[in-house]
Each structure stands twice: as structure tokens, then as C-alpha cells.
Amino acid sequence: EPNENRYNFDKPRFDSWSGRVTYNPTAALSMQVSQGFIKQPELLHPGVDVNRTTASISFANSEGSSNFTALWGMNKTKKHAAEHGVLLEGSHVKGKMTYYGRYEWVQKSIEELDLDESKYGHDAVFPVHALTAGLAFEAFAAGQTRFSLGGQLSAFSADNKLNDLYGNNPWSAQIYIRLYPGRIK
């Protein structure tokens, strides 16, 4: 992985590897499993290697109006217990409206959440859940570029030990404009 100095080229070290197997039993269905080894990806943790595993299944109907994905991933080091993540998402297009939803569950370490080790313990891992629902309306086109207006609501839930820091089941809302350049279908 690159360091913080993005303007120089690091000498390539071929010390990490990954592999993926993909199977597409139909035109609408795709499945994959991958495994990777990343040697010392973090400068703050010299000597800590990461084993990363993922698996996913995706479905897209032939008309392109419905898409669904289920994904699981895991990072494992010798220093800490495995940290998992799950994503389930889907969308459906009907006319100019797109409806979508997403569920995410991840396990976050105290380091990633910038928490005090003495309060929570060195190896503490906290589950975090997020549920998002949204919709977008294709409003207009300028030439071959299309513009959509959308909005979404997200609800979050984390380990109760984090309530004093992040609140009890916080919510967020977003309103956005999305543009699709002419070459993107």
C-alpha cells in the first residue's frame, strides 16, 4: 500500500498476494470468493500482516431494473481476533424512480474508533449496524448527461458501550444530485 507521500513511486515489493474465483451460473447471477495476504499494510503496525477473505453473490435481472448483492468480508491478523463485515443491498428502477436499500454490519476495533484502550480493553471489537433506505428521481437531461435528485435516510445501531460517544441509535439524512455522463448507461 502507498504511504502518505503520494508524489513519489515506492519500490515495488512483491510480498503480498491475492486470488479470486468467480462463477457465473447464469447471465444474471455472479458469485465470487477471494483470499489475500497483505504484508504489513499499516506503518503504525510494523510486523502485522493481514489475511483478507471475501465472498459475494450478485443478481441483476436482464432488464436492469432490479439488482441485489450480498457480501461478506473478514480481516484477520495474528495480533487481533478476526473482524467481519456484511453488506446486503438492492435497488429497483420503475420508470424514472429508483428505490434502494442497504444493510451493513461491521466489527470495528477500538483503534479504528479512536477509543481509549484502558477503558475498553486492548482487543475490544464493537459491532456497528447501519440500515439505509432511499429513492432517486431522474429529473432531466442536458444533451446526453442525465441528472437525478435523490434522498436517503440511515439508521445506525452500535454496541451500547458506545452510546455516550455516538448517541443511542443515531439517524442521518442526505439529499443529493447525481449526474450520469452520456457514456454511462
Side-chain angles (χ1 to χ4, degrees), residues 122-143:
H122 176 68
D123 291 326
V125 175
F126 300 97
V128 178
H129 303 265
L131 183 61
T132 300
L135 55 92
F137 175 73
E138 189 173 315
F140 63 93

Side-chain angles (χ1 to χ4, degrees), residues 29 39-41 54 65 71 77 91 97 122 124 140 146 154-155 159 168:
L29 192 62
K39 185 167 182 70
Q40 301 180 39
T54 70
S65 62
L71 177 109
T77 67
S91 67
M97 292 294 294
H122 176 68
F140 63 93
R146 296 175 294 134
S154 297
D159 190 290
N168 187 7

Side-chain angles (χ1 to χ4, degrees), residues 16 22 47 71 97 100 103 134 145 157:
S16 300
T22 302
L71 177 109
M97 292 294 294
Y100 61 91
Y103 168 73
T145 300
S157 175

Side-chain angles (χ1 to χ4, degrees), residues 39 82 85 147 164 171:
K39 185 167 182 70
F147 293 83
D164 58 334
W171 287 74

Side-chain angles (χ1 to χ4, degrees), residues 7 15 28 38 49 63 72 78 99 112 124 136 144 176 180:
Y7 300 105
D15 55 6
I38 308 164
D49 302 327
E63 297 86 36
W72 164 82
K78 290 182 181 178
Y99 306 88
E112 285 182 288
Q144 290 190 5
Y176 58 87
Y180 300 89

Side-chain angles (χ1 to χ4, degrees), residues 29-117:
L29 192 62
S30 180
M31 298 178 271
Q32 71 83 31
V33 176
S34 68
Q35 174 69 46
F37 170 79
I38 308 164
K39 185 167 182 70
Q40 301 180 39
E42 302 296 334
L43 287 175
L44 295 175
H45 302 288
V48 178
D49 302 327
V50 176
N51 286 295
R52 181 170 293 157
T53 306
T54 70
S56 67
I57 183 168
S58 296
F59 169 82
N61 67 357
S62 60
E63 297 86 36
S65 62
S66 296
N67 298 287
F68 302 97
T69 297
L71 177 109
W72 164 82
M74 176 186 67
N75 284 336
K76 175 78 176 103
T77 67
K78 290 182 181 178
K79 190 174 180 180
H80 297 288
E83 294 177 9
H84 298 267
V86 170
L87 168 75
L88 304 171
E89 70 178 3
S91 67
H92 179 72
V93 177
K94 186 165 178 88
K96 292 187 172 207
M97 292 294 294
T98 300
Y99 306 88
Y100 61 91
R102 170 184 280 201
Y103 168 73
E104 300 167 84
W105 170 76
V106 294
Q107 294 178 309
K108 292 294 184 181
S109 67
I110 60 166
E111 179 183 33
E112 285 182 288
L113 295 172
D114 197 26
L115 300 175
D116 182 8
E117 271 188 34

Side-chain angles (χ1 to χ4, degrees), residues 10-26:
D10 296 331
K11 180 180 178 185
R13 286 178 253 118
F14 299 100
D15 55 6
S16 300
W17 59 266
S18 66
R20 173 177 290 155
V21 175
T22 302
Y23 176 57
N24 299 317
T26 69

